[in-house]
Amino acid sequence: MASLKLKTSIKRLFGEITIPGDKSISHRSVMFGSIAHGETKITNFLPGDDCLSTISCFRKLGVTIEEADNQIRIIGNGFEGLTEPNEVLDVGNSGTTIRLLMGILAGRPFFSTLVGDESIGKRPMTRVTGPLAKMGAKIDGRKDGAFTPISIRGGQLTPIQYKLPVASAQVKSALILAALQAEGESTIIEPAETRDHTERMIRKFGGEIDKDNQAITVKGGQNLTGATIHVPGDISSAAFFLVAGAIIPESEIVLKNVGLNPTRTGIIEVMKKMGADLEIIQKEDHSFEPVGDLIIKTSNLKATVVEGDLIPKLIDEIPIIALLATQAEGTTVIKDAEELKVKETNRIDTVVDELRKLGASIEATDDGMVIHGKTQLNGGSVSSHGDHRIGMMLSIAALLCRNNVELEQPEAISVSYPNFFAHLNNLIR
Ligand code: S3P
């Protein structure tokens, strides 16, 4: 797609939107449906490019997956039901697909090759290939298993006792999926708590997993049974509208159906600390993942420090938090976030470079960024760099700009939020 002229100088945002399905949970529901026995039905599935890559990979592994109107039906035949793919498995832009899939394929007695796009080709895989090789998988890739293409010949795995070197839900989940196929009990220790959708989903599919502080214990040889999953809205998608509502004058936005898993709600904590006028209407928790509605109004914001164990609970929200900080009084510091460098883009660089083009006062540090507020944003030509969250953050930033804003590579947004612009346009008054 050519560049997109973004809406600027918006007076007000007002109305209600229903947030689309959570990306992390959508991926996992397809994966668990594929390795469980029997039928799995998924509603409110996110039809974003990343989750469609997951479906395509599991179809190539021989799983029957029907798809219509954001509803998915899967017939699983257990781990044993997966068959050697005739083709290369292409994960597109999706880190969650490739990393979790490696954990599943590590225990399967056949050969497969995993590839992805240019961004995936730069993302570190040793954090997964290393421990999976220790468990006994024959796994390799470019630069000694560090980068795609990755090849795997799986087989019988031995359990692992492993302390993760980085707080990463993708690495933790890959090891849990491998541990489910190992002979015996594995223990995985996280340095800080990360999103726990995999753990919740194992229980939902009838399996067992124990958690004692940050130590997770999982037994091999478990049989999982198909389940009915309703995917809650993605708080990482809601985050763009939470920030938009807080920074655009005279706004009020109701966000319906937002997943409120406490391992994901760091953005709410930070916004509250910054003084946001944010109301949470928590629904009764009947489902396996807590859900609620959020109401955000224009807010008087003050700077804050975002650091430490909070970082994994808002890692994907840092680009939009950086924009929020440009509209807060004082200097906001984001630290302990070096993981940003290995996301879809180096998000320290892309956030700092692109927000500067619009007139923000922001500097990169080794492990985060420093933002001085409050600044008037002007306008200019910016790029998503092929990163969905950078594209959405810049589209929200443009609303405040007094001059024109052109966004290069807007199509990246469909990775996690295909109807983002439709939702945004509905709110513009
Ligand atoms: C995800 C985990 C996070 C996050 C990504 C989705 C997941 O990555 O950034 O968007 O679904 O497990 P890391 O585990 O690499 O931090």
Side-chain angles (χ1 to χ4, degrees), residues 58 76 90 140 153 372 404 409:
F58 279 89
D90 188 349
D140 207 347
R153 184 173 293 281
H372 309 281
N404 287 346
Q409 300 188 51

Side-chain angles (χ1 to χ4, degrees), residues 379-395:
S381 180
V382 290
S383 173
S384 75
H385 295 270
D387 183 333
H388 54 130
R389 300 200 197 279
I390 301 298
M392 288 186 276
M393 180 275 283
L394 292 168
S395 306

Side-chain angles (χ1 to χ4, degrees), residues 321-380:
I321 290 173
L323 171 64
L324 183 72
T326 69
Q327 303 309 308
E329 289 296 341
T331 298
T332 293
V333 180
I334 300 174
K335 50 186 178 187
D336 305 321
E338 43 279 274
E339 272 295 297
L340 289 176
K341 293 180 184 168
V342 291
K343 294 295 175 190
E344 285 81 332
T345 55
N346 175 335
R347 284 185 178 159
I348 296 182
D349 290 351
T350 46
V351 166
V352 169
D353 292 350
E354 300 307 306
L355 276 177
R356 268 201 189 154
K357 289 182 190 164
L358 296 180
S361 172
I362 176 168
E363 293 129 39
T365 61
D366 276 350
D367 64 347
M369 51 195 95
V370 176
I371 308 121
H372 309 281
K374 175 177 180 174
T375 42
Q376 165 69 50
L377 300 181
N378 299 315

Side-chain angles (χ1 to χ4, degrees), residues 254-315:
V254 180
L255 302 170
K256 308 281 283 183
N257 183 41
V258 183
L260 296 175
N261 181 317
T263 61
R264 296 283 300 280
T265 48
I267 174 89
I268 293 180
E269 262 177 70
V270 166
M271 288 188 73
K272 289 247 175 201
K273 230 170 90 186
M274 293 175 79
D277 186 347
L278 169 58
E279 190 186 338
I280 304 165
I281 305 165
Q282 185 111 21
K283 304 242 175 76
E284 265 184 76
D285 192 6
H286 294 306
S287 79
F288 72 118
E289 291 275 355
V291 176
D293 296 339
L294 302 174
I295 305 172
I296 181 73
K297 295 182 188 156
T298 309
S299 311
N300 271 328
L301 300 162
K302 54 180 191 293
T304 189
V305 178
V306 185
E307 63 185 333
D309 288 358
L310 193 55
I311 295 293
K313 298 188 170 73
L314 47 66
I315 187 73

Side-chain angles (χ1 to χ4, degrees), residues 70-131:
N70 302 349
Q71 300 203 20
I72 309 285
R73 182 170 169 267
I74 304 175
I75 306 296
N77 288 303
F79 278 109
E80 316 75 53
L82 302 179
T83 53
E84 186 167 76
N86 296 327
E87 295 166 69
V88 161
L89 302 173
D90 188 349
V91 305
N93 189 243
S94 178
T96 305
T97 310
I98 192 164
R99 296 210 175 103
L100 273 60
L101 196 48
M102 282 195 265
I104 293 173
L105 295 175
R108 295 299 86 218
F110 54 68
F111 176 78
S112 39
T113 310
L114 292 106
V115 297
D117 68 5
E118 202 188 321
S119 151
I120 279 290
K122 294 182 190 149
R123 299 184 68 183
M125 296 300 156
T126 308
R127 49 181 66 191
V128 181
T129 56

